[in-house]
Amino acid sequence: MSSENLPQSPEQQLRKPRVAVVFGGRSSEHGISVVTAGAVLNAIDRTKYDVLPIGITTDGRWALTADEPERMAIANRTMPDVAQLAESEEGGVVLSVDPGSREVVYTEPGAVPKALGEVDVVFPVLHGPYGEDGTLQGLLELSGVPYVGAGVLASAVGQDKEYMKRVFTSFGLAVGPYLVVRPREWESDPAAVRKRITAFADEQGWPLFIKPARAGSSIGITKVEDASGLDAAIEEARRHDPKFLVESLLRGREIECGVLEFEDGPRASVPAEIPPVTAHDFYDFEAKYIDAASGIVPAPLTEEQTAEVQRLAVEAFDACSCEGLVRADFFLTEDGGFVINEINTLPGFTPISMYPRMWQESGVSYQQLVDRLIQAALNRPTGLR
């Protein structure tokens, strides 16, 4: 029997829904996940919801953390860390995988486990592998706990840039030229890989972008001007993921569009434009989060261009079977067409991030956005749907 079909006690009927905000994680995007969690915790309406912050350390321990959003901000260009927020260096939070129970238990060595009560919905703000890629979503499906955002398949596809592009292509969405290099290829014959990449460059032209296949926030990406920079760029990408992509430079404007699920289906926000970042080679991690390079919202597009990118964003959302929210990133090329770069199923979600800014401009405030996502998750069944 699934938990949503269990009869509720009078206490359950009277209490506020409990939201577990899960953040941190084992990926290289750990710090920005903590920053995002602080913003979400600040925005949740405490008159409507109880909140349980759960941080995942870089080594994978689920830690009980204090509900102190002010400690989750970037300070002196340094990212916060779950280990600094955890209430104990050894205690761990355990979520039941019994779909008949949503009980959360806290354990410490040598102590009696302590029940923390039931969780009604999880708001995951994990970025990258071990959180955004379907792994956490699979655990929550096993547990029968509703959660914000995309399901297992959409999360996995949205994390792996190779298969994301394959899905887009199969649905008729235009993507830029790219190569995929798998771990075994590079480890067994790096010379052959270099040769393949330089042949790609001969055809497409330099510069190229070398990027991890399953990372986000522009982490691990290097712009390579010629063959002499390949090995260092590959090493940097492989620090984050043994599989990497090689992409050609697309000349044009960078346009983003947010998609949000409403009762009648997904809708697109006004789009934004990421202008050229003069202090950086491209829109990298430091430009996004440390130096807070700002986008233009709404993007200065014609009505026809706006309608087209909104249509394509919703198509990308549907192509990958997404739920909840997505940020879709495009290039408006010099010939006037849109090429999709990627989607992000758990996009940057601080108040200054592009996704919330686009919805703010579309009439949905940050607080309303958080509430809508929680309500949508509470109303969505777990399991096959």
Side-chain angles (χ1 to χ4, degrees):
M1 179 182 289
S2 68
S3 54
E4 62 260 23
N5 296 322
L6 292 173
Q8 289 191 319
S9 68
E11 180 184 351
Q12 288 174 312
Q13 292 171 356
L14 291 173
R15 70 174 176 83
K16 293 181 288 188
R18 174 173 284 179
V19 182
V21 179
V22 180
F23 61 96
R26 295 163 56 190
S27 83
S28 51
E29 296 176 80
H30 178 98
I32 194 60
S33 173
V34 179
V35 175
T36 300
V40 170
L41 288 168
N42 260 329
I44 292 178
D45 184 348
R46 304 309 176 94
T47 66
K48 292 177 64 174
Y49 307 104
D50 286 328
V51 176
L52 179 66
I54 300 174
I56 302 178
T57 63
T58 53
D59 61 2
R61 178 172 63 94
W62 288 45
L64 187 62
T65 66
D67 185 5
E68 298 176 357
E70 65 278 2
R71 295 175 57 199
M72 300 180 182
I74 300 171
N76 299 319
R77 302 178 69 89
T78 300
M79 288 288 174
D81 189 284
V82 167
Q84 301 165 354
L85 303 166
E87 294 195 348
S88 164
E89 293 184 0
E90 295 183 298
V93 174
V94 179
L95 178 66
S96 171
V97 292
D98 177 1
S101 169
R102 295 175 179 173
E103 190 79 19
V104 175
V105 175
Y106 180 69
T107 63
E108 285 200 64
V112 176
K114 176 184 177 183
L116 299 179
E118 291 191 344
V119 165
D120 297 289
V121 62
V122 169
F123 199 130
V125 291
L126 296 150
H127 301 299
Y130 313 110
E132 189 181 351
D133 59 352
T135 50
L136 176 66
Q137 290 75 12
L139 172 64
L140 296 173
E141 292 286 354
L142 285 173
S143 303
V145 179
Y147 55 92
V148 168
V152 176
L153 174 65
S155 297
V157 170
Q159 186 64 39
D160 191 312
K161 293 177 176 61
E162 175 193 358
Y163 289 99
M164 183 197 307
K165 291 176 187 291
R166 291 182 183 276
V167 168
F168 289 156
T169 302
S170 72
F171 277 81
L173 293 162
V175 303
Y178 70 99
L179 291 179
V180 178
V181 180
R182 294 183 171 82
R184 187 170 57 194
E185 295 176 275
W186 177 252
E187 291 159 8
S188 64
D189 196 347
V193 171
R194 291 188 199 97
K195 185 176 180 180
R196 186 155 66 99
I197 294 173
T198 52
F200 177 76
D202 289 342
E203 180 181 333
Q204 300 296 332
W206 299 92
L208 302 176
F209 289 90
I210 311 295
K211 59 174 64 174
R214 294 162 290 194
S217 297
S218 299
I219 288 175
I221 300 178
T222 304
K223 183 180 180 182
V224 180
E225 300 291 347
D226 55 48
S228 66
L230 275 180
D231 279 15
I234 290 169
E235 182 181 344
E236 172 60 16
R238 280 173 52 83
R239 277 201 318 117
H240 303 279
D241 188 344
K243 181 169 80 167
F244 64 92
L245 266 66
V246 182
E247 294 180 349
S248 63
L249 173 67
L250 288 176
R251 300 188 185 279
R253 298 162 62 188
E254 291 190 52
I255 306 294
E256 298 184 349
C257 190
V259 180
L260 180 63
E261 194 169 15
F262 286 77
E263 290 79 7
D264 59 351
R267 301 182 200 169
S269 69
V270 299
E273 179 169 2
I274 307 300
V277 184
T278 56
H280 300 262
D281 264 353
F282 59 97
Y283 193 45
D284 61 7
F285 180 85
E286 289 227 344
K288 287 180 179 178
Y289 298 113
I290 304 299
D291 295 334
S294 59
I296 303 168
V297 188
L301 301 171
T302 66
E303 288 186 16
E304 293 77 11
Q305 289 171 330
T306 295
E308 176 66 0
V309 76
Q310 289 174 325
R311 181 186 71 81
L312 291 171
V314 172
E315 279 196 16
F317 182 96
D318 286 336
C320 296
S321 299
C322 294
E323 294 170 297
L325 72 164
V326 149
R327 192 193 71 231
D329 301 345
F330 298 86
F331 290 101
L332 176 55
T333 59
E334 293 174 341
D335 64 5
F338 285 100
V339 173
I340 189 163
N341 183 35
E342 64 182 37
I343 59 169
N344 198 313
T345 57
L346 280 173
F349 207 81
T350 69
I352 64 167
S353 298
M354 296 309 301
Y355 183 85
R357 286 183 60 200
M358 288 186 285
W359 278 108
Q360 176 79 42
E361 190 67 26
S362 304
V364 181
S365 71
Y366 188 82
Q367 290 75 18
Q368 291 171 329
L369 191 57
V370 168
D371 188 70
R372 173 166 287 280
L373 289 168
I374 293 171
Q375 286 297 318
L378 284 168
N379 293 328
R380 184 188 307 131
T382 56
L384 297 177
R385 52 191 182 276

